[in-house]
Coordinates of all heavy atoms in Angstrom, one line a residue:
P86 N 137.4 39.0 25.5 CA 137.0 38.0 24.5 C 135.7 38.3 23.9 O 134.9 38.9 24.5 CB 136.9 36.7 25.4 CG 136.8 37.2 26.8 CD 137.3 38.5 26.8
G87 N 135.6 37.9 22.6 CA 134.3 38.2 22.0 C 134.4 37.7 20.5 O 135.4 37.2 20.1
A88 N 133.3 37.9 19.8 CA 133.3 37.5 18.4 C 132.6 38.7 17.6 O 131.9 39.4 18.2 CB 132.4 36.2 18.2
R89 N 133.0 38.7 16.4 CA 132.4 39.8 15.5 C 131.8 39.1 14.3 O 132.4 38.1 13.8 CB 133.5 40.8 15.0 CG 133.9 41.7 16.1 CD 134.8 42.6 15.5 NE 134.9 43.8 16.4 CZ 135.2 45.0 16.1 NH1 135.5 45.2 14.8 NH2 135.3 45.9 16.9
A90 N 130.7 39.5 13.9 CA 130.1 39.0 12.7 C 129.8 40.2 11.9 O 129.0 41.0 12.2 CB 128.8 38.3 13.1
A91 N 130.4 40.2 10.7 CA 130.1 41.3 9.7 C 129.0 40.8 8.9 O 128.9 39.6 8.5 CB 131.3 41.6 8.9
R92 N 128.0 41.6 8.7 CA 126.8 41.2 7.9 C 126.5 42.1 6.8 O 126.6 43.3 7.0 CB 125.6 40.9 8.8 CG 125.1 42.1 9.5 CD 124.0 41.7 10.4 NE 123.2 42.8 10.7 CZ 122.1 42.8 11.3 NH1 121.5 41.6 11.6 NH2 121.4 43.9 11.6
T93 N 126.1 41.6 5.7 CA 125.8 42.4 4.5 C 124.4 42.0 4.1 O 124.1 40.8 4.1 CB 126.7 42.2 3.4 OG1 128.0 42.5 3.9 CG2 126.4 43.1 2.2
G94 N 123.5 42.9 3.8 CA 122.2 42.6 3.5 C 121.5 43.7 2.7 O 122.0 44.8 2.6
P95 N 120.4 43.4 2.1 CA 119.7 44.4 1.2 C 119.1 45.6 2.1 O 118.7 45.4 3.2 CB 118.7 43.6 0.5 CG 118.4 42.4 1.4 CD 119.7 42.1 2.1
V96 N 119.1 46.7 1.5 CA 118.3 47.9 2.0 C 117.3 48.2 1.0 O 117.3 47.7 -0.1 CB 119.3 49.0 2.4 CG1 120.2 48.7 3.5 CG2 120.0 49.5 1.2
P97 N 116.3 49.1 1.3 CA 115.2 49.3 0.4 C 115.5 49.6 -1.0 O 114.8 49.2 -1.9 CB 114.5 50.5 1.0 CG 114.8 50.4 2.5 CD 116.2 49.8 2.6
A98 N 116.6 50.2 -1.4 CA 117.0 50.5 -2.7 C 117.8 49.3 -3.4 O 118.5 49.5 -4.4 CB 117.8 51.8 -2.8
R99 N 117.7 48.2 -2.8 CA 118.4 47.0 -3.3 C 120.0 47.1 -3.3 O 120.7 46.5 -4.0 CB 118.0 46.6 -4.7 CG 116.6 46.1 -4.8 CD 116.3 45.5 -6.1 NE 114.9 45.0 -6.2 CZ 114.6 43.8 -6.2 NH1 115.5 42.9 -6.1 NH2 113.3 43.5 -6.3
S100 N 120.4 48.1 -2.4 CA 121.9 48.2 -2.3 C 122.2 47.3 -1.1 O 121.4 46.7 -0.5 CB 122.2 49.7 -2.0 OG 121.5 50.2 -0.9
S101 N 123.5 47.3 -0.8 CA 124.0 46.4 0.3 C 124.7 47.3 1.4 O 125.3 48.4 1.0 CB 125.0 45.4 -0.2 OG 124.3 44.5 -1.0
W102 N 124.8 46.8 2.6 CA 125.6 47.5 3.6 C 126.2 46.5 4.5 O 125.7 45.3 4.6 CB 124.7 48.5 4.3 CG 124.0 48.0 5.5 CD1 124.3 48.1 6.8 CD2 122.7 47.3 5.5 NE1 123.4 47.6 7.6 CE2 122.4 47.1 6.9 CE3 121.8 46.9 4.5 CZ2 121.2 46.4 7.2 CZ3 120.7 46.3 4.9 CH2 120.4 46.0 6.2
T103 N 127.3 46.8 5.1 CA 128.0 46.0 6.1 C 127.7 46.5 7.5 O 127.8 47.6 7.8 CB 129.5 45.9 5.8 OG1 129.7 45.4 4.5 CG2 130.2 45.0 6.8
R104 N 127.4 45.5 8.4 CA 127.1 45.9 9.8 C 128.0 45.0 10.6 O 128.4 43.9 10.2 CB 125.6 45.6 10.1 CG 124.7 46.6 9.2 CD 123.3 46.4 9.6 NE 123.0 47.0 10.9 CZ 121.8 46.9 11.4 NH1 120.9 46.3 10.9 NH2 121.6 47.5 12.6
T105 N 128.3 45.5 11.8 CA 129.1 44.8 12.7 C 128.3 44.4 13.9 O 127.7 45.2 14.6 CB 130.3 45.6 13.1 OG1 131.1 45.9 11.9 CG2 131.3 44.8 14.1
V106 N 128.4 43.1 14.3 CA 127.8 42.6 15.5 C 128.9 42.1 16.4 O 129.6 41.3 16.0 CB 126.7 41.5 15.2 CG1 126.2 40.9 16.5 CG2 125.7 41.9 14.3
D107 N 128.9 42.7 17.6 CA 129.9 42.2 18.6 C 129.2 41.4 19.7 O 128.2 41.9 20.3 CB 130.6 43.4 19.3 CG 131.5 44.2 18.3 OD1 132.3 43.5 17.7 OD2 131.4 45.4 18.2
I108 N 129.7 40.2 19.9 CA 129.1 39.3 20.9 C 130.2 39.0 21.9 O 131.2 38.4 21.6 CB 128.6 38.0 20.2 CG1 127.6 38.3 19.1 CG2 128.0 37.0 21.3 CD1 127.4 37.1 18.2
A109 N 129.9 39.5 23.1 CA 130.9 39.3 24.2 C 130.4 38.1 25.0 O 129.2 38.0 25.4 CB 131.1 40.5 25.1
Y110 N 131.3 37.1 25.3 CA 130.9 36.0 26.1 C 132.0 35.5 26.9 O 133.2 35.9 26.7 CB 130.4 34.8 25.1 CG 131.4 34.5 24.1 CD1 132.4 33.5 24.3 CD2 131.6 35.2 22.9 CE1 133.3 33.1 23.4 CE2 132.5 34.9 21.9 CZ 133.4 33.8 22.2 OH 134.4 33.5 21.3
D111 N 131.7 34.6 27.9 CA 132.7 34.0 28.7 C 132.5 32.5 28.5 O 131.8 32.0 27.5 CB 132.6 34.4 30.2 CG 131.3 34.1 30.8 OD1 130.5 33.2 30.4 OD2 131.0 34.8 31.8
Q112 N 133.0 31.7 29.4 CA 132.9 30.2 29.2 C 131.5 29.7 29.4 O 131.1 28.6 29.0 CB 133.9 29.5 30.3 CG 135.3 29.8 30.0 CD 135.8 29.2 28.7 OE1 135.3 28.2 28.3 NE2 136.7 29.9 28.0
R113 N 130.6 30.5 30.0 CA 129.3 30.0 30.4 C 128.1 30.6 29.6 O 127.2 30.0 29.3 CB 129.0 30.3 31.9 CG 129.9 29.5 32.7 CD 129.7 29.7 34.2 NE 128.4 30.3 34.5 CZ 128.0 30.7 35.7 NH1 128.7 30.5 36.7 NH2 126.7 31.2 35.8
R114 N 128.3 31.9 29.1 CA 127.1 32.5 28.5 C 127.5 33.8 27.7 O 128.6 34.3 27.8 CB 126.2 32.9 29.5 CG 126.6 34.0 30.5 CD 125.7 34.3 31.6 NE 126.3 35.3 32.5 CZ 125.6 35.9 33.3 NH1 124.3 35.7 33.5 NH2 126.2 36.8 34.1
V115 N 126.6 34.2 26.9 CA 126.7 35.5 26.2 C 126.5 36.6 27.2 O 125.5 36.6 27.9 CB 125.7 35.6 25.0 CG1 125.7 37.0 24.4 CG2 126.0 34.5 24.0
R116 N 127.4 37.6 27.3 CA 127.4 38.6 28.2 C 126.7 39.9 27.7 O 126.0 40.6 28.3 CB 128.7 39.0 28.8 CG 129.5 37.8 29.4 CD 128.8 37.3 30.6 NE 129.7 37.5 31.7 CZ 129.2 37.4 33.0 NH1 128.0 37.2 33.2 NH2 130.0 37.5 34.0
S117 N 127.0 40.2 26.4 CA 126.4 41.4 25.7 C 126.4 41.3 24.3 O 127.2 40.5 23.7 CB 127.2 42.7 26.2 OG 128.5 42.6 25.7
V118 N 125.6 42.1 23.6 CA 125.5 42.1 22.2 C 125.5 43.6 21.8 O 124.7 44.4 22.3 CB 124.2 41.4 21.6 CG1 124.1 41.5 20.1 CG2 124.2 40.0 22.1
Q119 N 126.3 43.9 20.8 CA 126.3 45.3 20.3 C 126.1 45.2 18.7 O 126.7 44.3 18.1 CB 127.7 46.0 20.5 CG 127.8 46.4 21.9 CD 129.1 47.3 22.1 OE1 129.8 47.6 21.1 NE2 129.4 47.6 23.3
I120 N 125.3 46.1 18.2 CA 125.1 46.1 16.7 C 125.6 47.5 16.2 O 125.1 48.5 16.8 CB 123.7 45.9 16.4 CG1 123.3 44.4 16.8 CG2 123.4 46.0 14.9 CD1 121.8 44.1 16.7
D121 N 126.5 47.5 15.4 CA 127.1 48.8 14.9 C 127.6 49.7 16.1 O 127.4 50.9 16.0 CB 126.2 49.6 14.0 CG 125.8 48.8 12.8 OD1 126.7 48.0 12.3 OD2 124.7 49.0 12.2
G122 N 128.2 49.0 17.1 CA 128.7 49.8 18.2 C 127.7 50.2 19.3 O 128.0 50.9 20.2
V123 N 126.4 49.9 19.1 CA 125.4 50.2 20.0 C 124.9 49.0 20.8 O 124.5 48.0 20.1 CB 124.2 50.9 19.3 CG1 123.1 51.3 20.3 CG2 124.6 52.2 18.5
A124 N 125.0 49.0 22.1 CA 124.5 47.9 22.9 C 123.0 47.7 22.7 O 122.3 48.7 22.8 CB 124.9 48.1 24.3
V125 N 122.6 46.5 22.5 CA 121.2 46.2 22.5 C 120.6 46.2 23.9 O 121.3 45.9 24.9 CB 120.8 44.9 21.8 CG1 121.2 45.0 20.3 CG2 121.4 43.7 22.5
Y126 N 119.4 46.6 24.1 CA 118.8 46.7 25.5 C 118.6 45.3 26.0 O 118.9 45.1 27.2 CB 117.5 47.4 25.4 CG 116.8 47.5 26.7 CD1 117.3 48.4 27.7 CD2 115.6 46.8 26.9 CE1 116.6 48.5 28.9 CE2 115.0 46.9 28.2 CZ 115.5 47.7 29.2 OH 114.8 47.8 30.3
T127 N 118.2 44.4 25.3 CA 118.0 43.0 25.8 C 118.1 42.1 24.6 O 118.0 42.4 23.4 CB 116.5 42.9 26.4 OG1 116.4 41.6 27.0 CG2 115.5 43.1 25.4
F128 N 118.4 40.8 24.9 CA 118.6 39.8 23.9 C 118.1 38.4 24.6 O 118.2 38.3 25.8 CB 120.0 39.7 23.4 CG 121.0 39.4 24.3 CD1 121.4 38.1 24.7 CD2 121.7 40.4 25.0 CE1 122.4 37.8 25.6 CE2 122.7 40.2 25.9 CZ 123.1 38.9 26.2
A129 N 117.8 37.5 23.8 CA 117.4 36.2 24.2 C 118.2 35.1 23.5 O 118.6 35.3 22.3 CB 115.9 35.9 24.0
I130 N 118.6 34.0 24.2 CA 119.3 33.0 23.6 C 118.4 31.7 23.5 O 117.7 31.4 24.5 CB 120.6 32.6 24.4 CG1 121.4 33.8 24.7 CG2 121.3 31.4 23.8 CD1 122.1 34.4 23.5
A131 N 118.4 31.2 22.3 CA 117.6 29.9 22.1 C 118.4 29.0 21.3 O 118.5 29.0 20.1 CB 116.3 30.2 21.3
G132 N 119.2 28.1 22.0 CA 120.1 27.2 21.4 C 121.2 28.0 20.8 O 122.0 28.7 21.5
T133 N 121.4 27.9 19.5 CA 122.5 28.7 18.8 C 122.0 30.0 18.2 O 122.7 30.7 17.6 CB 123.0 27.9 17.6 OG1 121.9 27.6 16.7 CG2 123.6 26.6 18.1
L134 N 120.7 30.4 18.6 CA 120.1 31.7 18.1 C 120.3 32.8 19.1 O 120.1 32.6 20.3 CB 118.7 31.5 17.8 CG 118.3 30.5 16.7 CD1 116.7 30.4 16.6 CD2 118.9 30.8 15.4
I135 N 120.6 34.0 18.6 CA 120.5 35.2 19.4 C 119.4 36.1 18.9 O 119.4 36.3 17.6 CB 121.9 36.0 19.4 CG1 123.0 35.1 20.0 CG2 121.7 37.3 20.2 CD1 124.3 35.8 19.8
L136 N 118.4 36.3 19.6 CA 117.2 37.1 19.2 C 117.2 38.5 19.9 O 117.4 38.5 21.1 CB 115.9 36.3 19.6 CG 115.9 34.9 19.1 CD1 114.7 34.2 19.8 CD2 115.7 34.9 17.6
T137 N 117.2 39.5 19.2 CA 117.2 40.9 19.8 C 116.5 41.8 18.8 O 115.9 41.4 17.8 CB 118.7 41.3 20.0 OG1 118.7 42.5 20.8 CG2 119.4 41.5 18.7
S138 N 116.5 43.1 19.2 CA 115.9 44.1 18.4 C 116.6 45.5 18.6 O 117.3 45.6 19.7 CB 114.4 44.3 18.7 OG 114.3 44.7 20.0
Q139 N 116.6 46.3 17.6 CA 117.2 47.7 17.8 C 116.2 48.6 17.0 O 116.0 48.4 15.8 CB 118.6 47.6 17.2 CG 119.4 48.8 17.5 CD 120.8 48.6 17.1 OE1 121.1 48.3 16.0 NE2 121.7 48.8 18.0
D140 N 115.8 49.6 17.6 CA 114.8 50.5 17.0 C 113.6 49.7 16.5 O 113.1 49.0 17.3 CB 115.4 51.3 15.9 CG 116.6 52.2 16.4 OD1 116.4 52.7 17.6 OD2 117.5 52.4 15.7
N141 N 113.3 49.7 15.3 CA 112.2 49.0 14.7 C 112.6 47.7 14.0 O 111.8 47.1 13.3 CB 111.3 49.9 13.7 CG 110.6 50.9 14.4 OD1 110.0 50.7 15.5 ND2 110.5 52.1 13.9
E142 N 113.8 47.3 14.2 CA 114.3 46.1 13.5 C 114.4 44.9 14.5 O 115.0 45.0 15.6 CB 115.7 46.4 13.0 CG 116.3 45.3 12.3 CD 117.7 45.6 11.8 OE1 118.3 46.6 12.2 OE2 118.3 44.8 11.0
R143 N 113.7 43.8 14.2 CA 113.9 42.6 14.9 C 115.0 41.7 14.2 O 114.9 41.5 13.0 CB 112.6 41.8 14.9 CG 111.5 42.4 15.7 CD 110.3 41.7 15.8 NE 109.2 42.5 15.5 CZ 108.1 42.2 14.9 NH1 107.8 41.0 14.5 NH2 107.1 43.1 14.6
I144 N 115.9 41.3 15.1 CA 117.1 40.6 14.5 C 117.3 39.2 15.0 O 117.2 39.0 16.2 CB 118.4 41.5 14.8 CG1 118.2 42.9 14.2 CG2 119.6 40.8 14.3 CD1 119.2 43.9 14.8
R145 N 117.6 38.3 14.2 CA 117.8 36.9 14.5 C 119.2 36.5 14.0 O 119.4 36.5 12.7 CB 116.8 36.0 13.9 CG 116.9 34.6 14.2 CD 115.7 33.8 13.5 NE 115.8 32.4 13.7 CZ 116.1 31.6 12.8 NH1 116.3 31.9 11.6 NH2 116.2 30.3 13.1
I146 N 120.1 36.1 14.8 CA 121.4 35.7 14.4 C 121.6 34.2 14.8 O 121.4 33.8 15.9 CB 122.5 36.5 15.2 CG1 122.3 38.0 14.9 CG2 123.9 36.0 14.8 CD1 123.1 38.9 15.8
D147 N 121.9 33.4 13.8 CA 122.1 31.9 14.0 C 123.7 31.7 14.0 O 124.3 31.8 13.0 CB 121.5 31.1 12.9 CG 121.5 29.6 13.2 OD1 122.5 29.2 13.8 OD2 120.6 29.0 12.7
T148 N 124.2 31.6 15.2 CA 125.7 31.4 15.3 C 126.2 30.1 14.8 O 127.3 30.1 14.3 CB 126.1 31.6 16.8 OG1 125.5 30.5 17.6 CG2 125.7 33.0 17.3
A149 N 125.4 29.1 14.7 CA 125.9 27.8 14.2 C 125.9 27.9 12.6 O 126.8 27.4 12.0 CB 125.0 26.6 14.7
A150 N 124.8 28.3 12.1 CA 124.7 28.4 10.6 C 125.4 29.7 10.0 O 125.6 29.7 8.9 CB 123.2 28.5 10.2
Q151 N 125.8 30.5 10.9 CA 126.5 31.8 10.5 C 125.6 32.6 9.5 O 126.1 33.0 8.5 CB 127.9 31.6 10.0 CG 128.8 31.1 11.1 CD 130.3 31.0 10.6 OE1 130.6 31.3 9.5 NE2 131.1 30.7 11.6
T152 N 124.3 32.7 9.9 CA 123.4 33.5 9.1 C 122.7 34.5 10.0 O 122.7 34.4 11.2 CB 122.4 32.6 8.4 OG1 121.7 31.9 9.4 CG2 123.0 31.7 7.4
W153 N 122.0 35.5 9.4 CA 121.2 36.4 10.1 C 120.0 36.8 9.3 O 120.0 36.6 8.1 CB 122.0 37.7 10.5 CG 122.3 38.5 9.3 CD1 123.5 38.3 8.5 CD2 121.6 39.5 8.7 NE1 123.4 39.2 7.5 CE2 122.3 39.9 7.5 CE3 120.4 40.1 8.9 CZ2 121.9 40.9 6.7 CZ3 119.9 41.1 8.1 CH2 120.6 41.6 7.0
S154 N 118.9 37.3 10.0 CA 117.7 37.8 9.3 C 117.2 38.9 10.1 O 117.4 38.9 11.3 CB 116.7 36.6 9.0 OG 116.3 36.1 10.2
S155 N 116.4 39.8 9.5 CA 115.8 40.8 10.3 C 114.5 41.2 9.6 O 114.3 41.0 8.4 CB 116.7 42.1 10.4 OG 117.0 42.7 9.2
D156 N 113.7 41.8 10.4 CA 112.4 42.2 10.0 C 112.1 43.6 10.5 O 112.3 43.9 11.7 CB 111.3 41.3 10.5 CG 109.9 41.7 10.2 OD1 109.7 42.5 9.3 OD2 109.0 41.2 10.9
F157 N 111.7 44.6 9.6 CA 111.5 46.0 10.0 C 110.0 46.1 10.3 O 109.3 46.8 9.5 CB 112.0 46.9 9.0 CG 113.5 47.0 8.9 CD1 114.1 46.1 8.0 CD2 114.3 47.8 9.7 CE1 115.5 46.0 7.9 CE2 115.6 47.7 9.6 CZ 116.2 46.9 8.7
R158 N 109.4 45.4 11.3 CA 108.0 45.5 11.6 C 107.0 45.2 10.4 O 106.1 45.9 10.3 CB 107.7 46.8 12.2 CG 108.5 47.2 13.5 CD 108.0 46.3 14.6 NE 108.8 46.7 15.8 CZ 109.1 45.8 16.8 NH1 108.8 44.6 16.7 NH2 109.8 46.2 17.8
G159 N 107.5 44.3 9.6 CA 106.7 43.9 8.4 C 106.8 44.8 7.2 O 106.3 44.5 6.2
L160 N 107.6 45.9 7.3 CA 107.7 46.7 6.2 C 108.8 46.3 5.2 O 108.8 46.6 4.0 CB 108.0 48.2 6.7 CG 106.8 48.8 7.5 CD1 107.3 50.1 8.0 CD2 105.6 48.9 6.7
A161 N 109.9 45.7 5.7 CA 110.9 45.2 4.9 C 111.6 44.0 5.7 O 111.6 44.0 6.9 CB 111.9 46.3 4.7
T162 N 112.2 43.2 4.9 CA 113.0 42.1 5.6 C 114.4 42.1 4.9 O 114.6 42.6 3.8 CB 112.3 40.7 5.3 OG1 112.2 40.5 4.0 CG2 111.0 40.7 6.0
A163 N 115.3 41.5 5.6 CA 116.7 41.3 5.1 C 117.3 40.0 5.7 O 116.8 39.5 6.7 CB 117.5 42.5 5.5
Q164 N 118.3 39.5 5.0 CA 119.0 38.3 5.5 C 120.3 38.3 4.9 O 120.6 39.0 3.9 CB 118.2 37.1 5.1 CG 118.0 36.8 3.6 CD 117.1 35.7 3.4 OE1 116.5 35.1 4.3 NE2 117.1 35.3 2.1
G165 N 121.2 37.5 5.5 CA 122.6 37.4 5.0 C 123.4 36.4 5.7 O 122.9 35.6 6.5
R166 N 124.7 36.5 5.5 CA 125.6 35.6 6.2 C 126.5 36.3 7.1 O 126.7 37.6 7.0 CB 126.5 34.9 5.1 CG 127.3 35.7 4.3 CD 128.2 35.0 3.3 NE 128.9 35.9 2.4 CZ 129.9 36.5 2.7 NH1 130.5 36.4 3.9 NH2 130.5 37.4 1.9
C167 N 127.0 35.6 8.1 CA 127.9 36.2 9.1 C 129.3 35.7 8.9 O 129.5 34.5 8.4 CB 127.5 35.9 10.5 SG 125.9 36.4 11.0
E168 N 130.3 36.4 9.2 CA 131.7 36.0 9.1 C 132.3 36.3 10.5 O 132.2 37.4 10.9 CB 132.5 36.7 8.0 CG 132.0 36.4 6.6 CD 132.7 37.3 5.5 OE1 133.6 38.1 5.9 OE2 132.3 37.1 4.4
R169 N 133.0 35.3 11.0 CA 133.7 35.5 12.3 C 135.0 36.2 12.0 O 135.8 35.8 11.1 CB 134.0 34.2 13.0 CG 132.7 33.6 13.5 CD 133.1 32.3 14.3 NE 131.9 31.5 14.5 CZ 131.2 31.6 15.6 NH1 131.6 32.4 16.6 NH2 130.1 30.9 15.9
V170 N 135.3 37.2 12.8 CA 136.6 37.9 12.6 C 137.2 38.1 14.0 O 136.5 38.1 15.0 CB 136.5 39.3 12.0 CG1 136.0 39.2 10.5 CG2 135.5 40.2 12.7
S171 N 138.5 38.2 14.1 CA 139.1 38.3 15.4 C 139.6 39.7 15.6 O 139.6 40.5 14.9 CB 140.2 37.3 15.6 OG 140.9 37.0 14.5

């Protein structure tokens, strides 16, 4: 069981890209998070938010609002919407 959120957001040249976030969960909690097929080392849950990072990117996923945002250590930011797929 799990959920996928496809996300599209700006990159430095104002182009867009699609990323895949896999969230594996059971009846009680989120078990793992993968971004573009790579498992994140650690993540935190704060209500409906999943907070994590990958390389130099800090990522915030709001599962209730189906939105995401990220920050590349202050050098660039991105945001977008998530879509649930099965």
Side-chain angles (χ1 to χ4, degrees):
R89 287 182 162 207
R92 63 185 200 166
T93 305
V96 293
R99 292 188 182 257
S100 59
S101 296
W102 87 100
T103 299
R104 298 181 74 185
T105 301
V106 177
D107 291 310
I108 304 167
Y110 57 92
D111 60 22
Q112 295 296 326
R113 295 178 19 183
R114 63 183 181 168
V115 173
R116 303 296 241 164
S117 66
V118 177
Q119 289 188 2
I120 298 174
D121 297 331
V123 178
V125 298
Y126 179 70
T127 187
F128 59 89
I130 306 294
T133 62
L134 300 178
I135 298 174
L136 308 167
T137 190
S138 63
Q139 193 173 53
D140 298 326
N141 287 323
E142 180 183 14
R143 291 181 228 152
I144 303 163
R145 178 180 180 253
I146 302 165
D147 187 330
T148 59
Q151 293 188 355
T152 59
W153 65 272
S154 61
S155 68
D156 174 20
F157 295 90
R158 302 288 182 211
L160 299 175
T162 59
Q164 62 185 10
R166 62 181 172 77
C167 299
E168 296 175 0
R169 292 183 190 266
V170 296
S171 32

